[in-house]
Structure formats: structure tokens, C-alpha cells
Amino acid sequence: MVFQKSACIEPMYSELPFLERFQAAKRDGFAFVEFWSWRDKDMEAVRKAAESAGVGIAGFNGDAELSLIDPAQKKEYLDFLRSSVDAACKAGVRSLTIHSNGLGEGGAVINSYENLSDTVRLCTMFDTLKECAELAEASGVLINLEPLNVTTDHVGNFLRTTQMAAELTRLIGSPMLKVLYDVYHMQLNEGSICDHIRAYGDQFGHIHVADAPGRHEPGTGEINYRRVFSCLEECGYQGLVGFELVPETSTENAVKAIMTY
């Protein structure tokens, strides 16, 4: 099975003005694009660029600097998520990505909340996720919960394992709340990629791909992506695969590597 591919056009195609990246991704064979923040973009122009290029928009981040694990931020978090859902609906976007901790410049964790116990952080996240699921079901916009690596890019992030993310979404039981499984992040945090896919793949709503170390295109690091994709197929995954990576040399060379999968 060849999965439909999505290009993350923040780190890829960075040599082009943002709105030109939609057409470039389509020309290179991507069926979808995705990006990080929506607040710094003209979303009407984004919608038109995607429609003109004939590509879908797979998703963007829905939570910005706000945190799922801070009980004091629950109302503000949900209010902002509602605005993200509205933006997604207007632009025809399929999904939103959310995280346990608020992320700042370069994806740095703003607050690790070491002053809060694991119990408070976990229970707050579960409680807020239930309302996120209701919002997703009402809107038709899928919400994907993403665990992040804490070794390299997001030191101090609370949600760091496939198991915790998937058990949360299983307990809530909504078809519109799933896990964003980022192979790069999880290789750094826990390894055993195929074992985790087999155990929790039923909860995956979206896949992110980059090789490790380095976060470049497949074939530049240690991950056997042919085996990973085969395992996803064996487990019945039918969603998109998003290439959220920094080209090692150029977007052109990264795309050549990507399109061999």
C-alpha cells in the first residue's frame, strides 16, 4: 500500500514564499500539505492557495502556547481550540494537532510544570481531552494528540510515550480524538517502533515521518522506514503520512527520497 503523502510546508519548501509552496508540493506529488501555526497566516489566502493548487490541507497546530496539563488554563485552552476549529472549518482543514504543554519559539516547552504532580497533570489532561473530543465530534474536525521527544527538541514535555497518548484516547473512546504518531519523536524517546505500532496503531489518526537523528528525510538516519510503512499497513492504518522534516540539503533532494516510499 502506498499511503497518501502530506508535506509539512513550514520546514519544506522554505526557499519559496509561503503561498507558493502549495503549488510546489502538488507538483512534486503530494496530495496534502500541513503547517504549524495558523495565527500568523491569512487563512483565506491559504484556502485559496490550496484550492488553486488542488491539494488538501491535512492540518495545523490547534493549541499554540497553551497547555492541556495546567488546570488554571483549561478555559483559555478550550476557548483557543474553538477558534482553531473555526479556522480549520473555514479553510477546509481535516485535523488539528494538540500537545500536553504549550510550545514557544522553535518548539521549546514553555513550562514543564514541575510544581504540579504527575497526578494533577495527567488528570487535567484527561479531563480537558474529553471536552476536546466533544468539540471534534460537533465540528467534524479530527483532533490528534501528539507525544513529543524530550531528548532533543522538546525538553520538559509531559506527554512523551505512545502508550500514554493511546491509552488516553482509548479511554475517552471518541472516533474524532486520536494520536498523532511521530516516528522521529518516538524513536528518540522509546524505540521499538514496530512493537508500538502493533500495540497502539488502532489509535493513530495521523503519522509524521522524519529520520533520526537529524530530523531529515528517510534514508539519512537509522530508521528502517520500509519496515515501518509495512507494519502500518499490516496493522490496518489507512490515514495520511505527513513528512514533517528538515531537508538535509534541499527540498528537491528530500522529495526525491520521499517519493521512493
Side-chain angles (χ1 to χ4, degrees), residues 73-123:
Q73 286 191 356
K74 179 180 177 182
K75 182 181 183 304
E76 188 179 6
Y77 185 96
L78 290 169
D79 285 346
F80 183 80
L81 185 60
R82 289 186 187 95
S83 67
S84 297
V85 167
D86 288 344
C89 289
K90 290 175 183 176
V93 177
R94 289 166 57 118
S95 70
L96 297 175
T97 305
I98 61 174
H99 310 88
S100 62
N101 297 62
L103 303 177
E105 187 69 26
V109 171
I110 295 171
N111 188 341
S112 61
Y113 293 99
E114 295 299 328
N115 60 309
L116 300 177
S117 69
D118 285 353
T119 302
V120 169
R121 289 184 283 184
L122 183 58
C123 289

mmCIF file of all heavy atoms in Angstrom, residues 73-123:
data_model
loop_
_atom_site.group_PDB
_atom_site.id
_atom_site.type_symbol
_atom_site.label_atom_id
_atom_site.label_comp_id
_atom_site.label_asym_id
_atom_site.label_seq_id
_atom_site.Cartn_x
_atom_site.Cartn_y
_atom_site.Cartn_z
ATOM 1 N N GLN A 73 -5.396 26.790 33.108
ATOM 2 C CA GLN A 73 -5.529 27.226 31.723
ATOM 3 C C GLN A 73 -6.659 26.528 30.975
ATOM 4 O O GLN A 73 -6.841 26.759 29.781
ATOM 5 C CB GLN A 73 -4.214 26.977 30.963
ATOM 6 C CG GLN A 73 -3.106 27.933 31.320
ATOM 7 C CD GLN A 73 -1.925 27.832 30.362
ATOM 8 O OE1 GLN A 73 -1.896 26.997 29.461
ATOM 9 N NE2 GLN A 73 -0.941 28.679 30.561
ATOM 10 N N LYS A 74 -7.434 25.694 31.656
ATOM 11 C CA LYS A 74 -8.410 24.878 30.944
ATOM 12 C C LYS A 74 -9.376 25.714 30.102
ATOM 13 O O LYS A 74 -9.578 25.437 28.915
ATOM 14 C CB LYS A 74 -9.202 24.004 31.919
ATOM 15 C CG LYS A 74 -10.256 23.149 31.219
ATOM 16 C CD LYS A 74 -11.041 22.277 32.182
ATOM 17 C CE LYS A 74 -12.130 21.507 31.458
ATOM 18 N NZ LYS A 74 -12.944 20.673 32.356
ATOM 19 N N LYS A 75 -9.984 26.731 30.667
ATOM 20 C CA LYS A 75 -10.952 27.525 29.916
ATOM 21 C C LYS A 75 -10.283 28.223 28.738
ATOM 22 O O LYS A 75 -10.808 28.207 27.618
ATOM 23 C CB LYS A 75 -11.618 28.560 30.820
ATOM 24 C CG LYS A 75 -12.680 29.396 30.092
ATOM 25 C CD LYS A 75 -13.311 30.427 30.981
ATOM 26 C CE LYS A 75 -14.421 31.187 30.255
ATOM 27 N NZ LYS A 75 -13.955 31.821 28.992
ATOM 28 N N GLU A 76 -9.134 28.832 28.996
ATOM 29 C CA GLU A 76 -8.427 29.536 27.931
ATOM 30 C C GLU A 76 -8.011 28.561 26.827
ATOM 31 O O GLU A 76 -8.094 28.886 25.635
ATOM 32 C CB GLU A 76 -7.205 30.245 28.512
ATOM 33 C CG GLU A 76 -6.503 31.170 27.536
ATOM 34 C CD GLU A 76 -5.313 31.884 28.155
ATOM 35 O OE1 GLU A 76 -4.966 31.580 29.320
ATOM 36 O OE2 GLU A 76 -4.710 32.726 27.466
ATOM 37 N N TYR A 77 -7.572 27.370 27.235
ATOM 38 C CA TYR A 77 -7.168 26.360 26.266
ATOM 39 C C TYR A 77 -8.338 25.995 25.352
ATOM 40 O O TYR A 77 -8.210 25.985 24.124
ATOM 41 C CB TYR A 77 -6.651 25.111 26.986
ATOM 42 C CG TYR A 77 -6.110 24.054 26.052
ATOM 43 C CD1 TYR A 77 -4.749 23.977 25.787
ATOM 44 C CD2 TYR A 77 -6.958 23.147 25.417
ATOM 45 C CE1 TYR A 77 -4.244 23.031 24.903
ATOM 46 C CE2 TYR A 77 -6.461 22.198 24.525
ATOM 47 C CZ TYR A 77 -5.104 22.148 24.288
ATOM 48 O OH TYR A 77 -4.613 21.214 23.408
ATOM 49 N N LEU A 78 -9.481 25.694 25.939
ATOM 50 C CA LEU A 78 -10.636 25.287 25.152
ATOM 51 C C LEU A 78 -11.169 26.427 24.286
ATOM 52 O O LEU A 78 -11.613 26.210 23.157
ATOM 53 C CB LEU A 78 -11.731 24.738 26.063
ATOM 54 C CG LEU A 78 -11.402 23.382 26.710
ATOM 55 C CD1 LEU A 78 -12.414 23.054 27.794
ATOM 56 C CD2 LEU A 78 -11.361 22.281 25.661
ATOM 57 N N ASP A 79 -11.103 27.652 24.804
ATOM 58 C CA ASP A 79 -11.528 28.803 24.003
ATOM 59 C C ASP A 79 -10.651 28.938 22.762
ATOM 60 O O ASP A 79 -11.146 29.181 21.651
ATOM 61 C CB ASP A 79 -11.466 30.086 24.831
ATOM 62 C CG ASP A 79 -12.591 30.200 25.844
ATOM 63 O OD1 ASP A 79 -13.570 29.432 25.737
ATOM 64 O OD2 ASP A 79 -12.485 31.049 26.746
ATOM 65 N N PHE A 80 -9.331 28.792 22.940
ATOM 66 C CA PHE A 80 -8.433 28.917 21.798
ATOM 67 C C PHE A 80 -8.641 27.756 20.835
ATOM 68 O O PHE A 80 -8.623 27.939 19.605
ATOM 69 C CB PHE A 80 -6.972 28.973 22.239
ATOM 70 C CG PHE A 80 -6.032 29.175 21.086
ATOM 71 C CD1 PHE A 80 -5.834 30.431 20.545
ATOM 72 C CD2 PHE A 80 -5.373 28.102 20.504
ATOM 73 C CE1 PHE A 80 -4.996 30.619 19.452
ATOM 74 C CE2 PHE A 80 -4.532 28.275 19.421
ATOM 75 C CZ PHE A 80 -4.341 29.542 18.901
ATOM 76 N N LEU A 81 -8.852 26.556 21.363
ATOM 77 C CA LEU A 81 -9.085 25.408 20.497
ATOM 78 C C LEU A 81 -10.338 25.622 19.651
ATOM 79 O O LEU A 81 -10.373 25.253 18.464
ATOM 80 C CB LEU A 81 -9.200 24.134 21.325
ATOM 81 C CG LEU A 81 -9.329 22.825 20.540
ATOM 82 C CD1 LEU A 81 -8.115 22.605 19.645
ATOM 83 C CD2 LEU A 81 -9.515 21.649 21.483
ATOM 84 N N ARG A 82 -11.362 26.217 20.227
ATOM 85 C CA ARG A 82 -12.570 26.514 19.448
ATOM 86 C C ARG A 82 -12.248 27.460 18.286
ATOM 87 O O ARG A 82 -12.767 27.294 17.172
ATOM 88 C CB ARG A 82 -13.648 27.121 20.343
ATOM 89 C CG ARG A 82 -14.267 26.129 21.319
ATOM 90 C CD ARG A 82 -15.423 26.738 22.084
ATOM 91 N NE ARG A 82 -15.874 25.824 23.120
ATOM 92 C CZ ARG A 82 -15.466 25.877 24.381
ATOM 93 N NH1 ARG A 82 -14.633 26.844 24.785
ATOM 94 N NH2 ARG A 82 -15.914 25.004 25.260
ATOM 95 N N SER A 83 -11.404 28.453 18.542
ATOM 96 C CA SER A 83 -11.039 29.368 17.457
ATOM 97 C C SER A 83 -10.228 28.646 16.394
ATOM 98 O O SER A 83 -10.355 28.934 15.196
ATOM 99 C CB SER A 83 -10.265 30.577 18.007
ATOM 100 O OG SER A 83 -8.995 30.204 18.515
ATOM 101 N N SER A 84 -9.407 27.677 16.804
ATOM 102 C CA SER A 84 -8.643 26.881 15.850
ATOM 103 C C SER A 84 -9.570 26.008 15.006
ATOM 104 O O SER A 84 -9.376 25.849 13.799
ATOM 105 C CB SER A 84 -7.617 26.005 16.585
ATOM 106 O OG SER A 84 -6.669 26.785 17.266
ATOM 107 N N VAL A 85 -10.573 25.424 15.647
ATOM 108 C CA VAL A 85 -11.557 24.618 14.920
ATOM 109 C C VAL A 85 -12.298 25.478 13.909
ATOM 110 O O VAL A 85 -12.516 25.073 12.755
ATOM 111 C CB VAL A 85 -12.538 23.944 15.898
ATOM 112 C CG1 VAL A 85 -13.740 23.372 15.166
ATOM 113 C CG2 VAL A 85 -11.838 22.842 16.687
ATOM 114 N N ASP A 86 -12.679 26.682 14.311
ATOM 115 C CA ASP A 86 -13.373 27.587 13.383
ATOM 116 C C ASP A 86 -12.492 27.892 12.174
ATOM 117 O O ASP A 86 -12.966 27.893 11.023
ATOM 118 C CB ASP A 86 -13.742 28.888 14.091
ATOM 119 C CG ASP A 86 -14.886 28.715 15.084
ATOM 120 O OD1 ASP A 86 -15.585 27.687 15.014
ATOM 121 O OD2 ASP A 86 -15.065 29.611 15.927
ATOM 122 N N ALA A 87 -11.213 28.163 12.434
ATOM 123 C CA ALA A 87 -10.283 28.449 11.337
ATOM 124 C C ALA A 87 -10.141 27.241 10.425
ATOM 125 O O ALA A 87 -10.084 27.382 9.195
ATOM 126 C CB ALA A 87 -8.920 28.855 11.899
ATOM 127 N N ALA A 88 -10.089 26.040 11.014
ATOM 128 C CA ALA A 88 -9.977 24.816 10.223
ATOM 129 C C ALA A 88 -11.216 24.605 9.355
ATOM 130 O O ALA A 88 -11.106 24.256 8.171
ATOM 131 C CB ALA A 88 -9.761 23.619 11.148
ATOM 132 N N CYS A 89 -12.377 24.834 9.925
ATOM 133 C CA CYS A 89 -13.614 24.650 9.163
ATOM 134 C C CYS A 89 -13.686 25.605 7.982
ATOM 135 O O CYS A 89 -14.074 25.221 6.867
ATOM 136 C CB CYS A 89 -14.817 24.844 10.076
ATOM 137 S SG CYS A 89 -15.076 23.513 11.273
ATOM 138 N N LYS A 90 -13.310 26.846 8.190
ATOM 139 C CA LYS A 90 -13.384 27.847 7.127
ATOM 140 C C LYS A 90 -12.402 27.556 5.997
ATOM 141 O O LYS A 90 -12.670 27.877 4.834
ATOM 142 C CB LYS A 90 -13.120 29.238 7.706
ATOM 143 C CG LYS A 90 -14.251 29.746 8.587
ATOM 144 C CD LYS A 90 -13.896 31.073 9.245
ATOM 145 C CE LYS A 90 -15.011 31.532 10.177
ATOM 146 N NZ LYS A 90 -14.655 32.773 10.906
ATOM 147 N N ALA A 91 -11.263 26.934 6.343
ATOM 148 C CA ALA A 91 -10.246 26.659 5.327
ATOM 149 C C ALA A 91 -10.321 25.233 4.790
ATOM 150 O O ALA A 91 -9.509 24.853 3.949
ATOM 151 C CB ALA A 91 -8.855 26.918 5.908
ATOM 152 N N GLY A 92 -11.275 24.443 5.278
ATOM 153 C CA GLY A 92 -11.403 23.074 4.805
ATOM 154 C C GLY A 92 -10.289 22.158 5.267
ATOM 155 O O GLY A 92 -9.866 21.256 4.536
ATOM 156 N N VAL A 93 -9.830 22.363 6.493
ATOM 157 C CA VAL A 93 -8.708 21.598 7.051
ATOM 158 C C VAL A 93 -9.225 20.358 7.757
ATOM 159 O O VAL A 93 -10.214 20.418 8.498
ATOM 160 C CB VAL A 93 -7.898 22.494 8.020
ATOM 161 C CG1 VAL A 93 -6.767 21.711 8.669
ATOM 162 C CG2 VAL A 93 -7.348 23.699 7.272
ATOM 163 N N ARG A 94 -8.556 19.228 7.573
ATOM 164 C CA ARG A 94 -9.033 17.948 8.091
ATOM 165 C C ARG A 94 -8.838 17.772 9.589
ATOM 166 O O ARG A 94 -9.668 17.142 10.250
ATOM 167 C CB ARG A 94 -8.300 16.804 7.386
ATOM 168 C CG ARG A 94 -8.679 16.604 5.948
ATOM 169 C CD ARG A 94 -7.679 15.707 5.230
ATOM 170 N NE ARG A 94 -7.525 14.409 5.862
ATOM 171 C CZ ARG A 94 -7.817 13.247 5.288
ATOM 172 N NH1 ARG A 94 -8.319 13.220 4.065
ATOM 173 N NH2 ARG A 94 -7.613 12.114 5.911
ATOM 174 N N SER A 95 -7.725 18.278 10.138
ATOM 175 C CA SER A 95 -7.397 17.930 11.525
ATOM 176 C C SER A 95 -6.606 19.029 12.214
ATOM 177 O O SER A 95 -6.026 19.913 11.567
ATOM 178 C CB SER A 95 -6.586 16.626 11.567
ATOM 179 O OG SER A 95 -5.281 16.815 11.044
ATOM 180 N N LEU A 96 -6.596 18.939 13.542
ATOM 181 C CA LEU A 96 -5.770 19.788 14.384
ATOM 182 C C LEU A 96 -4.865 18.910 15.230
ATOM 183 O O LEU A 96 -5.247 17.819 15.648
ATOM 184 C CB LEU A 96 -6.638 20.645 15.315
ATOM 185 C CG LEU A 96 -7.584 21.649 14.663
ATOM 186 C CD1 LEU A 96 -8.439 22.320 15.737
ATOM 187 C CD2 LEU A 96 -6.809 22.688 13.872
ATOM 188 N N THR A 97 -3.669 19.409 15.495
ATOM 189 C CA THR A 97 -2.723 18.711 16.373
ATOM 190 C C THR A 97 -2.644 19.446 17.696
ATOM 191 O O THR A 97 -2.543 20.682 17.725
ATOM 192 C CB THR A 97 -1.324 18.664 15.734
ATOM 193 O OG1 THR A 97 -1.422 18.080 14.439
ATOM 194 C CG2 THR A 97 -0.366 17.847 16.594
ATOM 195 N N ILE A 98 -2.698 18.694 18.798
ATOM 196 C CA ILE A 98 -2.592 19.294 20.129
ATOM 197 C C ILE A 98 -1.511 18.584 20.927
ATOM 198 O O ILE A 98 -1.120 17.457 20.610
ATOM 199 C CB ILE A 98 -3.938 19.276 20.882
ATOM 200 C CG1 ILE A 98 -4.446 17.847 21.085
ATOM 201 C CG2 ILE A 98 -4.973 20.115 20.136
ATOM 202 C CD1 ILE A 98 -5.702 17.762 21.952
ATOM 203 N N HIS A 99 -1.039 19.261 21.975
ATOM 204 C CA HIS A 99 0.098 18.786 22.761
ATOM 205 C C HIS A 99 -0.185 18.953 24.249
ATOM 206 O O HIS A 99 -1.065 19.722 24.633
ATOM 207 C CB HIS A 99 1.360 19.567 22.389
ATOM 208 C CG HIS A 99 1.602 19.636 20.910
ATOM 209 N ND1 HIS A 99 1.062 20.620 20.111
ATOM 210 C CD2 HIS A 99 2.304 18.805 20.088
ATOM 211 C CE1 HIS A 99 1.434 20.414 18.851
ATOM 212 N NE2 HIS A 99 2.171 19.322 18.812
ATOM 213 N N SER A 100 0.603 18.278 25.060
ATOM 214 C CA SER A 100 0.387 18.388 26.506
ATOM 215 C C SER A 100 0.812 19.750 27.042
ATOM 216 O O SER A 100 0.140 20.329 27.900
ATOM 217 C CB SER A 100 1.137 17.281 27.249
ATOM 218 O OG SER A 100 2.540 17.371 27.043
ATOM 219 N N ASN A 101 1.933 20.259 26.551
ATOM 220 C CA ASN A 101 2.488 21.518 27.044
ATOM 221 C C ASN A 101 2.431 22.589 25.971
ATOM 222 O O ASN A 101 2.488 22.283 24.775
ATOM 223 C CB ASN A 101 3.951 21.332 27.461
ATOM 224 C CG ASN A 101 4.139 20.376 28.599
ATOM 225 O OD1 ASN A 101 3.811 19.196 28.489
ATOM 226 N ND2 ASN A 101 4.676 20.855 29.708
ATOM 227 N N GLY A 102 2.350 23.834 26.391
ATOM 228 C CA GLY A 102 2.453 24.928 25.446
ATOM 229 C C GLY A 102 3.852 24.989 24.857
ATOM 230 O O GLY A 102 4.841 24.747 25.555
ATOM 231 N N LEU A 103 3.932 25.303 23.566
ATOM 232 C CA LEU A 103 5.212 25.354 22.864
ATOM 233 C C LEU A 103 5.485 26.776 22.387
ATOM 234 O O LEU A 103 4.600 27.449 21.859
ATOM 235 C CB LEU A 103 5.203 24.403 21.669
ATOM 236 C CG LEU A 103 4.903 22.932 21.981
ATOM 237 C CD1 LEU A 103 4.845 22.123 20.690
ATOM 238 C CD2 LEU A 103 5.925 22.348 22.945
ATOM 239 N N GLY A 104 6.720 27.205 22.568
ATOM 240 C CA GLY A 104 7.114 28.538 22.163
ATOM 241 C C GLY A 104 8.006 28.526 20.944
ATOM 242 O O GLY A 104 7.909 27.641 20.092
ATOM 243 N N GLU A 105 8.895 29.488 20.839
ATOM 244 C CA GLU A 105 9.782 29.629 19.697
ATOM 245 C C GLU A 105 10.594 28.361 19.490
ATOM 246 O O GLU A 105 11.199 27.823 20.414
ATOM 247 C CB GLU A 105 10.723 30.821 19.924
ATOM 248 C CG GLU A 105 11.590 31.173 18.736
ATOM 249 C CD GLU A 105 10.801 31.748 17.566
ATOM 250 O OE1 GLU A 105 9.724 32.326 17.791
ATOM 251 O OE2 GLU A 105 11.284 31.610 16.426
ATOM 252 N N GLY A 106 10.596 27.878 18.237
ATOM 253 C CA GLY A 106 11.351 26.679 17.915
ATOM 254 C C GLY A 106 10.819 25.416 18.548
ATOM 255 O O GLY A 106 11.506 24.389 18.574
ATOM 256 N N GLY A 107 9.592 25.451 19.040
ATOM 257 C CA GLY A 107 9.002 24.277 19.674
ATOM 258 C C GLY A 107 9.439 24.045 21.095
ATOM 259 O O GLY A 107 9.150 22.990 21.674
ATOM 260 N N ALA A 108 10.120 25.017 21.689
ATOM 261 C CA ALA A 108 10.585 24.863 23.074
ATOM 262 C C ALA A 108 9.393 24.819 24.029
ATOM 263 O O ALA A 108 8.423 25.576 23.881
ATOM 264 C CB ALA A 108 11.512 26.012 23.450
ATOM 265 N N VAL A 109 9.467 23.928 25.013
ATOM 266 C CA VAL A 109 8.414 23.826 26.021
ATOM 267 C C VAL A 109 8.466 25.065 26.915
ATOM 268 O O VAL A 109 9.498 25.388 27.495
ATOM 269 C CB VAL A 109 8.599 22.539 26.856
ATOM 270 C CG1 VAL A 109 7.654 22.530 28.049
ATOM 271 C CG2 VAL A 109 8.370 21.313 25.980
ATOM 272 N N ILE A 110 7.339 25.746 27.008
ATOM 273 C CA ILE A 110 7.292 26.997 27.762
ATOM 274 C C ILE A 110 7.362 26.746 29.255
ATOM 275 O O ILE A 110 8.065 27.449 29.998
ATOM 276 C CB ILE A 110 6.009 27.775 27.409
ATOM 277 C CG1 ILE A 110 6.047 28.212 25.941
ATOM 278 C CG2 ILE A 110 5.822 28.983 28.318
ATOM 279 C CD1 ILE A 110 4.746 28.785 25.427
ATOM 280 N N ASN A 111 6.634 25.736 29.724
ATOM 281 C CA ASN A 111 6.579 25.445 31.158
ATOM 282 C C ASN A 111 6.412 23.943 31.321
ATOM 283 O O ASN A 111 5.466 23.358 30.789
ATOM 284 C CB ASN A 111 5.405 26.193 31.800
ATOM 285 C CG ASN A 111 5.400 26.096 33.309
ATOM 286 O OD1 ASN A 111 6.026 25.212 33.899
ATOM 287 N ND2 ASN A 111 4.689 27.016 33.961
ATOM 288 N N SER A 112 7.316 23.305 32.059
ATOM 289 C CA SER A 112 7.217 21.855 32.278
ATOM 290 C C SER A 112 6.343 21.519 33.477
ATOM 291 O O SER A 112 6.064 20.352 33.724
ATOM 292 C CB SER A 112 8.612 21.252 32.469
ATOM 293 O OG SER A 112 9.250 21.824 33.599
ATOM 294 N N TYR A 113 5.924 22.524 34.234
ATOM 295 C CA TYR A 113 5.007 22.357 35.367
ATOM 296 C C TYR A 113 5.529 21.350 36.391
ATOM 297 O O TYR A 113 4.791 20.502 36.882
ATOM 298 C CB TYR A 113 3.618 21.940 34.877
ATOM 299 C CG TYR A 113 2.933 23.017 34.079
ATOM 300 C CD1 TYR A 113 2.932 22.990 32.686
ATOM 301 C CD2 TYR A 113 2.313 24.090 34.712
ATOM 302 C CE1 TYR A 113 2.322 23.980 31.948
ATOM 303 C CE2 TYR A 113 1.700 25.093 33.983
ATOM 304 C CZ TYR A 113 1.704 25.041 32.599
ATOM 305 O OH TYR A 113 1.100 26.041 31.879
ATOM 306 N N GLU A 114 6.792 21.477 36.719
ATOM 307 C CA GLU A 114 7.361 20.608 37.752
ATOM 308 C C GLU A 114 6.739 20.876 39.116
ATOM 309 O O GLU A 114 6.862 20.056 40.027
ATOM 310 C CB GLU A 114 8.883 20.799 37.818
ATOM 311 C CG GLU A 114 9.620 20.362 36.556
ATOM 312 C CD GLU A 114 9.434 18.893 36.236
ATOM 313 O OE1 GLU A 114 9.299 18.094 37.194
ATOM 314 O OE2 GLU A 114 9.405 18.535 35.045
ATOM 315 N N ASN A 115 6.070 22.020 39.252
ATOM 316 C CA ASN A 115 5.382 22.332 40.505
ATOM 317 C C ASN A 115 4.091 21.536 40.671
ATOM 318 O O ASN A 115 3.516 21.489 41.766
ATOM 319 C CB ASN A 115 5.051 23.825 40.574
ATOM 320 C CG ASN A 115 4.153 24.279 39.429
ATOM 321 O OD1 ASN A 115 4.447 24.005 38.262
ATOM 322 N ND2 ASN A 115 3.076 24.984 39.750
ATOM 323 N N LEU A 116 3.614 20.890 39.583
ATOM 324 C CA LEU A 116 2.405 20.077 39.643
ATOM 325 C C LEU A 116 2.781 18.598 39.668
ATOM 326 O O LEU A 116 3.711 18.168 38.988
ATOM 327 C CB LEU A 116 1.513 20.349 38.429
ATOM 328 C CG LEU A 116 1.011 21.778 38.239
ATOM 329 C CD1 LEU A 116 0.197 21.877 36.951
ATOM 330 C CD2 LEU A 116 0.183 22.230 39.429
ATOM 331 N N SER A 117 2.056 17.820 40.437
ATOM 332 C CA SER A 117 2.316 16.379 40.482
ATOM 333 C C SER A 117 1.917 15.729 39.164
ATOM 334 O O SER A 117 1.109 16.273 38.402
ATOM 335 C CB SER A 117 1.532 15.731 41.619
ATOM 336 O OG SER A 117 0.144 15.742 41.328
ATOM 337 N N ASP A 118 2.444 14.532 38.908
ATOM 338 C CA ASP A 118 2.035 13.784 37.724
ATOM 339 C C ASP A 118 0.530 13.512 37.743
ATOM 340 O O ASP A 118 -0.124 13.503 36.692
ATOM 341 C CB ASP A 118 2.784 12.451 37.653
ATOM 342 C CG ASP A 118 4.231 12.613 37.221
ATOM 343 O OD1 ASP A 118 4.627 13.739 36.851
ATOM 344 O OD2 ASP A 118 4.963 11.609 37.255
ATOM 345 N N THR A 119 -0.010 13.302 38.928
ATOM 346 C CA THR A 119 -1.449 13.039 39.049
ATOM 347 C C THR A 119 -2.264 14.221 38.553
ATOM 348 O O THR A 119 -3.214 14.062 37.769
ATOM 349 C CB THR A 119 -1.821 12.725 40.504
ATOM 350 O OG1 THR A 119 -1.073 11.601 40.958
ATOM 351 C CG2 THR A 119 -3.309 12.442 40.648
ATOM 352 N N VAL A 120 -1.901 15.410 38.996
ATOM 353 C CA VAL A 120 -2.624 16.613 38.578
ATOM 354 C C VAL A 120 -2.476 16.826 37.080
ATOM 355 O O VAL A 120 -3.457 17.111 36.368
ATOM 356 C CB VAL A 120 -2.132 17.841 39.353
ATOM 357 C CG1 VAL A 120 -2.678 19.138 38.736
ATOM 358 C CG2 VAL A 120 -2.550 17.751 40.817
ATOM 359 N N ARG A 121 -1.265 16.663 36.568
ATOM 360 C CA ARG A 121 -1.037 16.891 35.145
ATOM 361 C C ARG A 121 -1.816 15.890 34.283
ATOM 362 O O ARG A 121 -2.455 16.270 33.302
ATOM 363 C CB ARG A 121 0.469 16.834 34.848
ATOM 364 C CG ARG A 121 1.227 18.039 35.389
ATOM 365 C CD ARG A 121 2.688 18.033 35.023
ATOM 366 N NE ARG A 121 3.463 17.100 35.837
ATOM 367 C CZ ARG A 121 4.783 16.974 35.763
ATOM 368 N NH1 ARG A 121 5.483 17.706 34.888
ATOM 369 N NH2 ARG A 121 5.426 16.111 36.546
ATOM 370 N N LEU A 122 -1.780 14.626 34.669
ATOM 371 C CA LEU A 122 -2.460 13.598 33.885
ATOM 372 C C LEU A 122 -3.972 13.736 33.969
ATOM 373 O O LEU A 122 -4.676 13.660 32.952
ATOM 374 C CB LEU A 122 -2.024 12.214 34.365
ATOM 375 C CG LEU A 122 -2.598 11.019 33.593
ATOM 376 C CD1 LEU A 122 -2.232 11.090 32.114
ATOM 377 C CD2 LEU A 122 -2.098 9.717 34.199
ATOM 378 N N CYS A 123 -4.489 13.940 35.163
ATOM 379 C CA CYS A 123 -5.948 14.064 35.317
ATOM 380 C C CYS A 123 -6.480 15.313 34.628
ATOM 381 O O CYS A 123 -7.581 15.294 34.053
ATOM 382 C CB CYS A 123 -6.316 14.063 36.802
ATOM 383 S SG CYS A 123 -6.101 12.456 37.608
#
